[in-house]
């Protein structure tokens, strides 16, 4: 399997909604586990109010399927409730990867 492309999504929580964003992301692994085309997915806490998602795919088709999938739909349905501003989504090309558990 060759990982070719990814997404980096930044989420800025509304004041008082930090735990709601953290809980949403922790539950997100269940949604992404249902996506065969999303082999790599991380939920991140970058600061007390800034969160992120990094995911990677073997093809552009898989990336687009993920963007149209349940995780993205669920997130977008809660933007007004949880986030101070819309998510920042960056499209990435993966140049190299190491994936070995310690």
């Amino acid at each position: 399997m060759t990982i070719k492309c990814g997404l980096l999504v930044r989420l800025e929580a509304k004041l008082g909604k930090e735990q709601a964003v953290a809980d949403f992301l922790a539950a997100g692994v269940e949604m992404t586990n249902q996506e065969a085309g999303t082999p790599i997915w991380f939920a991140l806490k970058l600061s007390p109010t800034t969160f992120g998602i990094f995911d990677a795919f073997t093809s552009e088709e898989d990336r687009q399927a993920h963007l149209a999938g349940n995780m993205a739909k669920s997130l977008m349905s809660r933007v007004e409730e949880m986030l101070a501003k819309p998510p920042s989504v960056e499209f990435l090309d993966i140049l190299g990867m190491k994936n070995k558990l310690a």
Side-chain angles (χ1 to χ4, degrees):
M1 170 174 48
T2 301
I3 301 297
K4 297 179 181 179
C5 54
L7 294 169
L8 179 61
V9 180
R10 288 181 175 266
L11 309 168
E12 189 64 37
K14 281 185 176 178
L15 187 60
K17 293 295 184 174
E18 299 87 353
Q19 191 60 50
V21 174
D23 293 344
F24 174 82
L25 291 174
V29 73
E30 295 302 321
M31 283 183 268
T32 58
N33 278 340
Q34 304 303 312
E35 298 176 358
T38 306
I40 297 173
W41 187 86
F42 289 92
L44 313 166
K45 184 173 183 179
L46 304 169
S47 78
T49 60
T50 306
F51 297 84
I53 300 168
F54 169 76
D55 35 24
F57 313 91
T58 59
S59 69
E60 179 61 29
E61 292 78 19
D62 287 339
R63 177 164 56 186
Q64 291 302 318
H66 174 70
L67 287 169
N70 289 336
M71 178 64 185
K73 287 177 185 174
S74 182
L75 174 62
M76 295 313 291
S77 76
R78 298 190 64 191
V79 166
E80 299 268 331
E81 169 196 346
M82 297 188 309
L83 302 181
K85 59 185 177 182
S88 165
V89 181
E90 297 179 49
F91 286 67
L92 310 170
D93 292 327
I94 307 298
L95 304 176
M97 183 181 105
K98 178 180 178 185
N99 185 17
K100 182 178 180 183
L101 295 175

